[in-house]
Amino acid sequence: MGGGPADGGRDRVLARVRRALADVPRGERPSDVPVERSYLRTHGRRTAEETVALLAQNLTDYRAVVHRTTEDGIGDLLAVLLARRGSTSVLVPPALPPHWLAAADPVRVHDLAACTTRQLDAADSVVTGCALAIAETGTIVLDGGPEHGRRRITLVPDHHICVVRVPGQVVASVPEALERLDPRRPLTWISGPSATSDIELDRVEGVHGPRTLEVVLLKTGRDGEAGGGGGDGHDCGGRDGDDWGGRDRPPYANV
C-alpha cells in the first residue's frame, strides 16, 4: 500500500526539512554551534528570604495552599493537614523521612511497581518531597527521586502535599533550575493544582492530576538532606510493610 494523501504529506515535510538543512555541513553536530544565551537569568535581585516569599506568592496565585514550618513542626503540621482532609490512607515514596508522618494517623501505602492505577486512586493523599522549586514561576519540580516517588503517584491521587526545603531547594528562575536538574530524569513540572478549561473557559480541576495541591515550605539549614525509609504501612496489595531499611527495602525504579 502507499501513494495516498498521507504519503504525499510526509514527502512534503521531509522536503522542507532537507531544504532547511541544505547549508549545514554534513559533519556538523548540534553541540558544534554556540547558542546565544544573552537573556536575563533572573528578573531583579532578591535575598534568599525574598525569593522564598516570591515562591509562596506565586504558588498561592496558582491556587496552591501554602504552609510554613520547621523540622520540629513538620510532623504535627502534616498530621493536621491529612486529618483536615479526612485522609485514611496516604501514599509515600521510598525515602520519605519517617518523622514527617510519625504523628499522622492515615495508613501508609508504599508504592511498588506492581501497584495498579485503581489501587493508587484508592489512596486519599500523597506526601512527597521535591527536586526544587522555582520562585518566579511558582513551579515545583519532581525528578522521580526516592523522596518523590514514581511520577504516577503524584498524578493519580486527588490530594498532593509537597514539602520544599527552604531556602536550599528554591531557585529564582527557570534558567537556574535547568542548571540544577538532570535532563535524563523523568521531570514533572507542577504549577498549582491540575486544571483545564473548555472552549467556553469553564475551569475544571483535577483532570490531569491532583485537584488539591498543598505546599509545605520547610525551613531547614540542612540543604537537601534526605531521610530514610517510609515507615510502617502496607504496599498497594495490602500486605504489611516494614521500614524498608537495608536489604528488605524493595528495589526502586522509575516509570
Side-chain angles (χ1 to χ4, degrees):
M1 298 181 65
D7 292 327
R10 176 178 179 273
D11 291 339
R12 286 194 296 273
V13 170
L14 291 177
R16 291 171 184 169
V17 172
R18 293 189 189 98
R19 288 197 297 271
L21 297 177
D23 61 345
V24 177
R26 182 175 296 274
E28 183 178 282
R29 304 192 314 185
S31 57
D32 297 333
V33 181
V35 178
E36 179 66 29
R37 302 189 187 276
S38 58
Y39 50 77
L40 293 176
R41 295 184 70 256
T42 60
H43 296 82
R45 291 186 175 183
R46 288 177 292 269
T47 65
E49 292 76 13
E50 290 170 337
T51 301
V52 173
L54 179 62
L55 171 66
Q57 175 185 325
N58 287 331
L59 285 168
T60 302
D61 287 345
Y62 273 121
R63 301 191 185 184
V65 182
V66 179
H67 311 273
R68 293 175 181 266
T69 189
T70 63
E71 283 284 1
D72 292 337
I74 182 69
D76 289 339
L77 175 59
L78 292 179
V80 168
L81 298 182
L82 292 170
R84 185 182 300 164
R85 179 77 181 184
S87 300
T88 59
S89 59
V90 55
L91 272 167
V92 293
L96 196 76
H99 69 280
W100 285 8
L101 293 177
D105 293 330
V107 175
R108 279 62 138 184
V109 179
H110 303 302
D111 176 41
L112 300 178
C115 295
T116 66
T117 303
R118 185 179 298 274
Q119 289 168 331
L120 295 176
D121 190 45
D124 296 314
S125 301
V126 58
V127 176
T128 73
C130 73
L132 54 78
I134 306 171
E136 292 183 350
T137 60
T139 303
I140 305 296
V141 184
L142 314 179
D143 69 359
E147 277 195 5
H148 323 158
R150 290 172 245 260
R151 176 178 290 160
R152 63 181 186 170
I153 75 170
T154 56
L155 295 178
V156 178
D158 204 40
H159 178 223
H160 180 195
I161 301 175
C162 184
V163 179
V164 182
R165 292 181 175 89
V166 300
Q169 289 187 316
V170 180
V171 297
S173 64
V174 171
E176 289 186 352
L178 292 174
E179 291 173 356
R180 289 178 53 170
L181 294 168
D182 184 348
R184 297 167 297 182
R185 302 290 300 169
L187 301 177
T188 303
W189 300 62
I190 304 170
S191 297
S194 169
T196 189
S197 296
D198 60 19
I199 196 171
E200 296 178 350
L201 301 181
D202 291 327
R203 179 184 172 100
V204 179
E205 298 182 346
V207 176
H208 307 111
R211 193 186 317 268
T212 303
L213 172 65
E214 300 196 65
V215 178
V216 176
L217 303 181
L218 174 60
K219 186 175 182 179
T220 173
R222 294 173 292 176
D223 194 7
E225 181 178 325
D232 294 335
H234 61 72
D235 61 28
C236 289
R239 299 188 300 273
D240 290 338
D242 54 35
D243 64 359
W244 286 17
R247 63 181 181 181
D248 293 327
R249 178 173 173 176
Y252 183 78
N254 293 300
V255 295

